[in-house]
Amino acid sequence: ELSNSGLLTLAGETGSVLNWEMSNDGGSTWITLANNTVFQNYLDITATTSYRAKVQNGVCAAVGSTPATISVQPQTVPGAVNSSTTVCE
């Protein structure tokens, strides 16, 4: 069973956090999250996921922060046969 959790914290920003975004396709598409704080929680993610905050300073255009990426590695079972296991007779 997969279980993971954590808290991301935005630091060094100039302006206001408009929202956070997440991507699970390497940043090609971003999904808007309803959160305008400097903290973003994650819980039980099942695939490598990136998070970024959208920040706006005054009348300037909103920009995304540098993404934070959480990598999820497949769980291995000791002794299990997979595509890289060699089985001999």
Side-chain angles (χ1 to χ4, degrees):
E1 180 177 312
L2 181 66
S3 178
N4 57 58
S5 64
L7 178 69
L8 302 173
T9 303
L10 179 67
E13 77 282 358
T14 301
S16 301
V17 176
L18 300 177
N19 60 272
W20 283 77
E21 297 175 320
M22 66 176 282
S23 174
N24 54 16
D25 64 5
S28 294
T29 57
W30 291 93
I31 300 166
T32 300
L33 305 174
N35 175 9
N36 64 353
T37 71
V38 295
F39 304 105
Q40 176 63 48
N41 288 306
Y42 63 90
L43 176 66
D44 295 340
I45 58 174
T46 58
T48 297
T49 305
S50 297
Y51 291 89
R52 71 180 182 186
K54 290 288 285 221
V55 179
Q56 185 172 26
N57 186 21
V59 297
C60 297
V63 295
S65 65
T66 301
T69 301
I70 300 154
S71 297
V72 176
Q73 302 299 319
Q75 185 175 17
T76 58
V77 177
V81 176
N82 60 40
S83 62
S84 64
T85 301
T86 302
V87 178
C88 300
E89 290 187 63

